[in-house]
Amino acid sequence: MDIRRKNQIYLGIFCCIIGAFASAVIWLFLKAVAVGTAFLWEWLPGRISLPFYSILICTAGGILIGICRKRYGDYPEDLTVVLGRVKKEKFYEYKKMPVMLLAAFLPLVLGSSIGPEAGMTGIIVGLCYWAGDNLKFARENAREYSEVGIAVTLSLLFHSPLFGIFSVEEENKEKEITESVKSSKILLYGLALAAGTGVYILLSDLFGAAMEGFPSFPVQQLERIDYLMIFVYILCGCILAGFYHLVHRKSKNLAGKIPPVLREGIGGLCLGAAGLAVPAVMFSGETQMGVLMEHHLGYHPLWLIGVAFLKIFLTNLCIQFGLKGGHFFPVIFAGVCLGYGIAGAVFPGSTGHVVLAAAVTTAALLGGIMKKPLAVTVLLFLCFPVKMFVWIFVSAAIGSKVIPD
């Protein structure tokens, strides 16, 4: 056996190990978040009675996060920042791993309107570079392992293997990559994802699911009026995407003028107050979306539309004011909420039009934010029927072109 083939075999084996190890870390982290959330929001309130509980807990938690950030560093970093560091610096700092874990854990447990993808991506990439610095064989392929780790992380969190691969390869699109290299990388991704998915399923079967995940929407038979309404749904999704960018800029500018610790305390105060008034806007949105799917007829359409805009506002505020994490999960919830609200206003009392409304609105919203229509389409396969592929892709493409950065 020649050296090249032998190295390829070792590379494949190590990618399997990375996939399995990454999935175990993700499962343990998400399980810890679930236990911490249950303790803070179910067990503790059942035993002590405090007025304005959410405001007190979120404000105190925000101050704690601010102190940790001021003392140990600004973590977790956004997904795009992590990908950018891997691409440009070919390295990601891992020596503050306990700090990174705590920084990713606290906002999620507090009920911040964020997803876990940003924090977990940085953690897995850091572990990959640790392996590169401490294991002789891994040293030469540290960047490849980190990209595999990112793909596995995103694939497991979103239950969408293709989304993880698309997200990583999108960052490599400027590089000249031969067909043989592409085929080799796809094989490595496949091996890592197979091992990671197997370990994740095994742990979930043995000890219970670590994360609920988004519920799946049923297949909807389209009527003639639905095709006409597609343009309305796209317009609404684009409006919400424009609102996202506006709030993102304004909240970022405002947050930069407020000193650390006070900034995170204000973020926690706003989160707790919003949660006290509208509990549905707290957390990442998977559980709330399941409730919405079952009971949407019980909500007024204007209330649903208002929740969508409030969710977008709160997500940006949490991220810019230090209660940081990913934005994909809450944005998907906001898009679905807006789609249900628009469909409920146009077709009151009907459940036959809501799936298309939610899919198209969410696709246009994500397209306007991510600017990657194909990645949006693959991502939304996690909850919408594959038969809606064309309308989801078209909506995401329009949103990506219409909404400026």
Side-chain angles (χ1 to χ4, degrees):
M1 183 182 296
D2 59 52
I3 296 176
R4 184 179 177 183
R5 179 174 289 275
K6 189 175 181 180
N7 286 339
Q8 287 294 320
I9 293 174
Y10 286 153
L11 187 62
I13 293 172
F14 204 75
C15 283
C16 289
I17 295 173
I18 286 175
F21 183 73
S23 67
V25 171
I26 292 168
W27 186 91
L28 287 169
F29 178 83
L30 294 177
K31 197 68 173 178
V33 169
V35 172
T37 301
F39 170 80
L40 197 60
W41 297 102
E42 296 176 14
W43 188 88
L44 194 58
R47 283 157 179 79
I48 61 172
S49 180
L50 287 174
F52 307 108
Y53 179 84
S54 64
I55 294 178
L56 294 173
I57 290 295
C58 292
T59 303
I63 293 172
L64 176 61
I65 290 172
I67 294 172
C68 292
R69 178 165 292 114
K70 185 177 181 179
R71 184 167 182 178
Y72 300 110
D74 189 12
Y75 296 102
E77 292 188 309
D78 186 72
L79 175 61
T80 56
V81 174
V82 175
L83 290 169
R85 289 190 188 279
V86 172
K87 180 181 177 182
K88 294 179 181 179
E89 302 174 14
K90 299 179 175 59
F91 182 74
Y92 193 78
E93 181 59 59
Y94 57 81
K95 293 182 180 179
K96 294 184 178 180
M97 189 60 64
V99 175
M100 295 166 65
L101 284 165
L102 183 64
F105 176 81
L106 286 177
L108 291 170
V109 172
L110 283 177
S112 184
S113 181
I114 56 168
E117 66 273 13
M120 288 311 304
T121 302
I123 290 165
I124 297 301
V125 170
L127 290 173
C128 289
Y129 275 102
W130 174 88
D133 283 352
N134 291 275
L135 301 176
K136 183 178 179 181
F137 175 78
R139 191 170 299 125
E140 297 178 0
N141 302 285
R143 179 175 176 179
E144 286 75 9
Y145 296 145
S146 68
E147 291 177 348
V148 168
I150 293 171
V152 171
T153 301
L154 295 178
S155 299
L156 291 175
L157 290 175
F158 291 103
H159 304 285
S160 177
L162 291 178
F163 177 65
I165 296 173
F166 272 108
S167 297
V168 175
E169 290 304 305
E170 188 74 20
E171 296 296 320
N172 296 325
K173 63 183 179 181
E174 305 118 11
K175 292 169 47 179
E176 293 293 332
I177 301 177
T178 64
E179 290 300 321
S180 61
V181 173
K182 285 183 180 179
S183 300
S184 176
K185 290 191 74 174
I186 290 173
L187 176 61
L188 295 178
Y189 286 138
L191 290 172
L193 289 172
T197 303
V199 170
Y200 193 89
I201 292 174
L202 176 63
L203 290 172
S204 297
D205 287 344
L206 291 175
F207 305 105
M211 183 178 181
E212 289 187 21
F214 281 109
S216 298
F217 286 85
V219 177
Q220 174 187 326
Q221 298 299 320
L222 301 185
E223 301 176 15
R224 189 172 299 176
I225 186 65
D226 290 315
Y227 293 103
L228 297 175
M229 287 298 298
I230 285 175
F231 299 101
V232 177
Y233 301 144
I234 292 175
L235 175 61
C236 293
C238 289
I239 291 172
L240 191 56
F243 179 74
Y244 176 96
H245 287 293
L246 175 65
V247 175
H248 178 81
R249 291 193 300 270
K250 297 296 184 181
S251 60
K252 185 176 182 179
N253 291 337
L254 179 59
K257 300 175 183 178
I258 303 174
V261 183
L262 177 60
R263 177 178 58 229
E264 285 80 6
I266 293 174
L269 174 64
C270 294
L271 172 65
L276 185 65
V278 187
V281 298
M282 293 185 72
F283 299 99
S284 58
E286 312 100 281
T287 302
Q288 292 86 344
M289 200 164 89
V291 174
L292 177 64
M293 289 174 63
E294 292 184 14
H295 305 288
H296 65 94
L297 292 178
Y299 301 110
H300 194 281
L302 291 179
W303 187 87
L304 294 174
I305 294 170
V307 167
F309 279 87
L310 180 58
K311 185 71 172 177
I312 291 294
F313 175 84
L314 190 61
T315 297
N316 277 287
L317 186 141
C318 286
I319 292 173
Q320 300 303 331
F321 277 66
L323 279 67
K324 299 199 300 181
H327 65 273
F328 289 119
F329 282 87
V331 166
I332 291 174
F333 171 76
V336 170
C337 207
L338 180 61
Y340 270 93
I342 301 300
V346 178
F347 308 104
S350 174
T351 59
H353 307 275
V354 294
V355 177
L356 179 68
V360 171
T361 304
T362 306
L365 169 62
L366 281 172
I369 295 172
M370 294 175 60
K371 309 298 182 183
K372 299 174 183 178
L374 192 55
V376 170
T377 304
V378 173
L379 172 61
L380 292 182
F381 282 166
L382 77 103
C383 51
F384 292 107
V386 178
K387 289 179 65 175
M388 291 186 173
F389 162 80
V390 173
W391 303 118
I392 291 175
F393 179 78
V394 169
S395 304
I398 293 174
S400 68
K401 298 298 183 182
V402 170
I403 304 301
D405 292 330

